[in-house]
């Protein structure tokens, strides 16, 4: 095997095994199959301060910061102040991985019954935890119950432009268009 090809293969393997910056994370996801996404996220070694440099904060709601969007996946940095919470929601038919960067989030999962959403699972996400969700599993809620800010990285198997959201007033699900608070320039 020629030396330059071997070097390229080793570089790609190292990037996929241990991304150490946002650019190498994006490159690893770009070159991976969907089934490799969890491994890439679990093995990344990106300092929290790198994400803090790109974070936006809102006192009223969590923020959705787009890092990368292409036909295969969408990579978002979500920033949570204490008390920020999502509504009960779906994922537009897509696979979703959530990697906890800093702080803590609680996740509750639900199935929809004739009496409305019924909780099936609850967990706390701490730094370096990875969770997975898709619509076959039901719906979920993420919330920052702590007294400190939190950041999480979300990877969707394809971009999600809308999802089902539970409306507490009507006690039914409705379709919501999603938006970004910030689109990051390539890093």
């Amino acid at each position: 095997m020629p030396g330059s090809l071997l070097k390229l293969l080793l570089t790609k393997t190292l990037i996929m095994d241990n991304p150490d910056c946002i650019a190498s994370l994006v490159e690893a996801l770009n070159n991976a199959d969907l089934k490799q996404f969890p491994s890439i996220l679990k093995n990344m070694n990106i300092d929290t301060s790198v994400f803090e440099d790109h974070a936006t904060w809102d006192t009223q709601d969590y923020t959705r910061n787009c890092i990368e969007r292409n036909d295969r996946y969408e990579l978002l940095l979500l920033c949570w102040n204490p008390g920020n919470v999502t509504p009960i929601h779906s994922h537009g038919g897509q696979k979703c991985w959530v990697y906890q960067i800093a702080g803590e989030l609680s996740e509750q999962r639900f199935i929809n019954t004739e009496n409305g959403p019924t909780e099936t699972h609850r967990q706390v996400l701490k730094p370096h935890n990875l969770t997975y969700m898709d619509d076959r599993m039901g719906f979920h809620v993420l919330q920052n119950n702590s007294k400190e800010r939190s950041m999480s990285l979300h990877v969707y198997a394809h971009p999600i432009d809308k999802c089902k959201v539970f409306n507490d007033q009507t006690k039914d699900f409705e379709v919501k268009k999603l938006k970004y608070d910030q689109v990051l320039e390539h890093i």
Side-chain angles (χ1 to χ4, degrees):
M1 182 178 300
S4 60
L5 181 56
L6 179 60
K7 183 177 178 183
L8 177 64
L9 288 173
L10 288 173
T11 301
K12 286 193 180 245
T13 300
L14 289 172
I15 288 170
M16 288 186 67
D17 286 346
N18 198 9
D20 60 358
C21 66
I22 293 175
S24 65
L25 173 61
V26 168
E27 184 176 347
L29 294 171
N30 284 343
N31 292 306
D33 295 325
L34 289 179
K35 64 185 175 188
Q36 295 171 305
F37 282 17
S39 179
I40 292 168
L41 292 168
K42 285 180 193 175
N43 292 313
M44 70 178 182
N45 186 26
I46 303 174
D47 192 83
T48 303
S49 65
V50 172
F51 292 106
E52 288 170 350
D53 290 344
H54 303 290
T56 60
W57 303 94
D58 184 326
T59 56
Q60 301 300 312
D61 207 356
Y62 63 94
T63 62
R64 299 176 80 242
N65 304 282
C66 181
I67 295 173
E68 177 71 16
R69 180 185 171 110
N70 58 47
D71 292 341
R72 292 185 55 238
Y73 71 91
E74 178 177 40
L75 177 63
L76 304 179
L77 172 66
L78 272 63
C79 300
W80 311 78
N81 274 308
N84 288 158
V85 61
T86 68
I88 298 173
H89 64 279
S90 70
H91 289 97
Q94 301 306 323
K95 299 173 188 313
C96 171
W97 295 272
V98 177
Y99 178 85
Q100 190 64 27
I101 297 170
E104 292 183 4
L105 292 178
S106 65
E107 178 188 32
Q108 292 172 269
R109 295 181 184 175
F110 301 85
I111 57 170
N112 195 23
T113 66
E114 62 184 44
N115 297 325
T118 301
E119 186 176 328
T120 60
H121 178 77
R122 184 182 295 232
Q123 68 180 337
V124 174
L125 302 174
K126 297 182 181 211
H128 311 291
N129 287 161
L130 180 67
T131 189
Y132 172 81
M133 187 70 186
D134 70 40
D135 292 349
R136 292 173 302 154
M137 299 166 66
F139 302 86
H140 79 163
V141 166
L142 295 170
Q143 181 172 5
N144 183 355
N145 289 325
S146 74
K147 294 181 179 171
E148 297 187 15
R149 286 180 164 175
S150 179
M151 291 188 296
S152 54
L153 198 60
H154 298 241
V155 181
Y156 303 102
H158 291 282
I160 300 174
D161 294 318
K162 57 187 174 183
C163 69
K164 291 181 183 177
V165 173
F166 187 73
N167 182 321
D168 287 323
Q169 277 82 36
T170 65
K171 302 296 182 204
D172 202 5
F173 283 90
E174 56 191 36
V175 175
K176 177 182 178 183
K177 276 187 84 169
L178 300 173
K179 65 177 182 58
Y180 302 127
D181 293 285
Q182 172 181 232
V183 176
L184 303 177
E185 296 298 319
H186 284 286
I187 301 168

